[in-house]
Amino acid sequence: MATTPSQLADPGTLLSTTHAVGETRVRLRLTRPSDALRVRSFLEGLSPETRRRRFMAAMPGVSDTVVRHFTFYDPRSRLVVAATAPIDGVETVVGLADIVHLGTGLAELAVVVGDDHQGAGAGKLLTEVIAALALQQGATHLKAELLDDNHAMLALMERLGPTARTIEDGSSVVYTKLPQQRRRAA
Ligand SMILES: CC(C)(COP(=O)(O)OP(=O)(O)OC[C@H]1O[C@@H](n2cnc3c(N)ncnc32)[C@H](O)[C@@H]1OP(=O)(O)O)[C@@H](O)C(=O)NCCC(=O)NCCS
């Protein structure tokens, strides 16, 4: 069972350092419009099963709309973080997490890690940084939609805080209460 932190890490620290993911050194950063090709190539490289788990539907091709979803956003309402690594000397996306603020403290999170890097801690890093950013922007709870057998995603949400599972419109959904933000000393 995952342990729940009393405090999330500082997003600034997570975004300013590199992290070991297996043998790979990974950097976390917000995406930008110039990432379109990198994001497209990451999404096109995902296995059908990984795409299905992220998008809750079979997704045979990667449309421009999907690429734009991950590269253009208004940071007041939505954020996208990429985990990148230098592969053959080229900065490559190995995972993406996005969050959308739904209002009244609730933000919906989704995350995907490339098949070659799953199970090595990238999902943990991505969910932690995006949750910490959401918290900084006023979120108190996170929501995620997931397939019933997605134990890895459930484990990731449970690491962030107390998590409850429910069914909405026939889909499995989890809600996680984020730890309260520590007030800065004056
Ligand atoms: C879900 C996903 C993001 C997890 O990322 P990851 O990098 O593979 O996960 P991590 O290596 O950081 O491991 C996270 C936790 O999941 C656990 N885990 C990983 N794979 C697991 C599996 N197959 N079964 C059960 N738990 C698993 C790990 O043990 C870890 O938990 P712990 O800290 O309690 O040990 C990744 O598998 C993925 O992209 N899946 C497809 C897309 C998807 O399902 N997205 C979620 C819906 S939005």
Side-chain angles (χ1 to χ4, degrees):
M1 172 104 160
T3 49
T4 299
S6 58
Q7 201 72 36
L8 291 178
D10 170 45
T13 307
L14 290 170
L15 291 166
S16 62
T17 44
T18 62
H19 308 268
V21 168
E23 306 278 285
T24 313
R25 291 305 297 183
V26 161
R27 202 182 137 213
L28 301 169
R29 66 166 175 82
L30 293 170
T31 60
R32 42 186 184 249
S34 58
D35 287 320
L37 283 179
R38 267 184 284 271
V39 164
R40 172 174 289 286
S41 128
F42 168 71
L43 295 173
E44 286 179 347
L46 296 175
S47 67
E49 179 59 16
T50 289
R51 275 199 229 172
R52 190 176 73 88
R53 287 177 171 273
R54 165 59 185 81
F55 297 100
M56 304 296 150
M59 203 179 72
V62 176
S63 67
D64 288 345
T65 310
V66 171
V67 173
R68 281 181 68 87
H69 170 86
F70 290 107
T71 51
F72 279 87
Y73 48 87
D74 175 351
R76 286 168 301 184
S77 55
R78 221 157 64 71
L79 286 176
V80 183
V81 172
T84 68
I87 294 178
D88 298 331
V90 178
E91 191 196 20
T92 306
V93 173
V94 299
L96 288 171
D98 57 305
I99 199 139
V100 56
H101 290 279
L102 303 175
T104 61
L106 182 63
E108 183 163 357
L109 157 78
V111 55
V112 59
V113 172
D115 294 76
D116 291 349
H117 293 93
Q118 288 178 14
K124 239 180 251 183
L125 284 170
L126 281 163
T127 45
E128 185 153 5
V129 73
I130 204 102
L133 287 166
L135 185 71
Q136 212 174 48
Q137 290 183 313
T140 56
H141 290 76
L142 294 183
K143 169 184 178 177
E145 191 179 335
L146 71 177
L147 296 178
D148 275 343
D149 64 348
N150 199 338
H151 306 296
M153 188 60 193
L154 183 62
L156 287 178
M157 296 297 281
E158 285 173 337
R159 285 187 74 251
L160 298 174
T163 296
R165 196 165 185 162
T166 183
I167 303 285
E168 286 177 9
D169 300 325
S171 302
S172 197
V173 173
V174 292
Y175 287 91
T176 300
K177 184 175 188 300
L178 291 173
Q180 286 199 333
Q181 211 167 5
R182 193 185 292 143
R183 287 182 193 279
R184 284 177 197 277

